[in-house]
Amino acid sequence: DSGVTQTPKHLITATGQRVTLRCSPRSGDLSVYWYQQSLDQGLQFLIQYYNGEERAKGNILERFSAQQFPDLHSELNLSSLELGDSALYFCASSGRVADNTQYFGPGTRLTVL
Amino acid sequence: GQNIDQPTEMTATEGAIVQINCTYQTSGFNGLFWYQQHAGEAPTFLSYNVLDGLEEKGRFSSFLSRSKGYSYLLLKELQMKDSASYLCAVRGRGQNFVFGPGTRLSVLP
């Protein structure tokens, strides 16, 4: 158990809908990272937050947005969902900026029908 | 452009040593990461290199040559539980992460 929690574990929805994925980092970790993993694209970095501020941005679509709240949990919002958004979404956390060890949550499996 | 290459699959024998190579071309360089991922599970962080040389951590070691855009992950005394995918990732410009396709390692008895 990495100490990172993600909810829900599974999510099934329809095209055009909007969903919110939630991540709680390990106690004391300030950084949260979001990743998408699909069979054809591999693991893709989406975005990183550090202590509530956006720190790095990867291949995140405009239909996707994220935020980190004062209690350090984070949410990833996916809107206007398409079939191709079906994937595993992982959240990871790490400590301070110089701490490069990332601890991954169990992931949320999103299926868009 | 940004590109990371790794062998797709490798096979080794229990107790042996295996080296998984990774070559990269990225915009900027702020460190190279190795992760292990068992099928159906989340990735697990293995190592981080930002300076040239070898970093050793138990049975696992990782090497980096920035001038050659090259890294390898060395696994010693292979165990059956080491059968997994190994992902190489580079943190580039803007602290962005780029992942390689992963190397699926099979450890045979």
Side-chain angles (χ1 to χ4, degrees):
Chain A
D1 184 357
S2 66
V4 178
T5 60
Q6 290 187 247
T7 56
K9 283 189 176 175
H10 301 277
L11 197 49
I12 302 175
T13 188
T15 54
Q17 295 298 304
R18 172 190 169 94
V19 297
T20 297
L21 313 184
R22 183 188 169 102
C23 169
S24 292
R26 292 188 324 151
S27 177
D29 280 359
L30 300 177
S31 270
V32 169
Y33 308 76
W34 284 99
Y35 297 89
Q36 178 193 58
Q37 188 170 40
S38 58
L39 282 173
D40 57 344
Q41 296 271 348
L43 195 61
Q44 304 258 336
F45 167 68
L46 296 178
I47 198 164
Q48 178 198 355
Y49 280 83
Y50 176 78
N51 203 21
E53 300 289 325
E54 182 183 304
R55 176 165 171 79
K57 207 166 189 175
N59 300 323
I60 188 165
L61 300 171
E62 283 192 14
R63 301 184 286 109
F64 296 1
S65 65
Q67 55 184 325
Q68 186 179 28
F69 295 85
D71 67 353
L72 300 177
H73 91 272
S74 178
E75 292 181 358
L76 179 67
N77 300 296
L78 315 176
S79 61
S80 302
L81 285 168
E82 301 176 359
L83 295 178
D85 298 327
S86 295
L88 259 174
Y89 290 84
F90 289 108
C91 163
S93 76
S94 67
R96 304 203 173 272
V97 173
D99 179 358
N100 295 291
T101 304
Q102 294 179 35
Y103 299 88
F104 280 74
T108 293
R109 181 172 292 281
L110 173 67
T111 303
V112 182
L113 301 175
Chain B
Q2 307 206 94
N3 189 49
I4 298 183
D5 282 323
Q6 304 177 234
T8 305
E9 291 189 25
M10 296 183 72
T11 303
T13 305
E14 195 175 13
I17 299 173
V18 70
Q19 178 175 312
I20 303 175
N21 295 324
C22 170
T23 58
Y24 64 89
Q25 290 176 304
T26 56
S27 303
F29 181 82
N30 288 296
L32 187 140
F33 297 72
W34 284 96
Y35 298 87
Q36 179 191 61
Q37 187 175 26
H38 287 98
E41 297 182 11
T44 303
F45 171 86
L46 289 178
S47 68
Y48 168 74
N49 295 69
V50 68
L51 299 176
D52 290 352
L54 189 68
E55 294 280 343
E56 296 186 79
K57 210 187 260 188
R59 294 189 299 115
F60 291 29
S61 303
S62 57
F63 171 83
L64 174 66
S65 168
R66 288 172 296 171
S67 62
K68 294 181 180 176
Y70 167 70
S71 172
Y72 68 73
L73 180 70
L74 194 70
L75 292 75
K76 302 175 189 174
E77 301 168 18
L78 279 173
Q79 302 175 9
M80 299 297 289
K81 68 178 182 179
D82 298 328
S83 292
S85 287
Y86 291 86
L87 309 174
C88 170
V90 172
R91 185 156 59 190
R93 183 175 298 164
Q95 305 297 317
N96 189 359
F97 284 84
V98 179
F99 282 81
T103 298
R104 185 178 301 175
L105 174 66
S106 298
V107 180
L108 305 177

